[in-house]
Amino acid sequence: MINCPLCAAAIDVDEEELDEGDALICEECGKNLVVTGVSPLEMSAGEEEEVDDDEDDDDDDFDDDYDDDDDDDEEDEEEEDK
């Protein structure tokens, strides 16, 4: 049993089974933890995954551009048929 370095809550894991780089989640505070050392056992807060709002906007822009280009192609085809 180990304690969360952030909230001090007990985390039920077998210390002997942990290797450096292993990731855990504290059930009490919900933070990602990473084993940084095994002898002695050391843990630190893992990096949080950041959600990039711009990434979602880029997808929307792509869809809008795609639709606009698609409409232009249809107009070009109609002019060619005349």
Side-chain angles (χ1 to χ4, degrees), residues 1-13:
M1 179 116 21
I2 59 175
N3 292 333
C4 173
L6 302 174
C7 71
I11 301 174
D12 187 22
V13 294

Side-chain angles (χ1 to χ4, degrees), residues 12-30:
D12 187 22
V13 294
D14 186 359
E15 293 179 39
E16 294 176 3
E17 305 240 345
L18 293 176
D19 293 319
E20 190 170 334
D22 284 352
L24 301 170
I25 297 176
C26 175
E27 292 180 11
E28 188 69 29
C29 67

Side-chain angles (χ1 to χ4, degrees), residues 61-79:
D61 291 344
F62 177 74
D63 292 342
D64 292 341
D65 292 344
Y66 181 76
D67 292 342
D68 290 343
D69 291 343
D70 195 31
D71 291 341
D72 291 341
D73 290 343
E74 290 176 10
E75 291 174 4
D76 291 342
E77 288 175 8
E78 288 176 7
E79 290 178 10

Side-chain angles (χ1 to χ4, degrees), residues 39-54:
S39 184
L41 183 64
E42 297 177 12
M43 300 190 68
S44 66
E47 294 187 22
E48 297 292 323
E49 291 184 20
E50 294 181 18
V51 176
D52 186 7
D53 292 336
D54 292 340

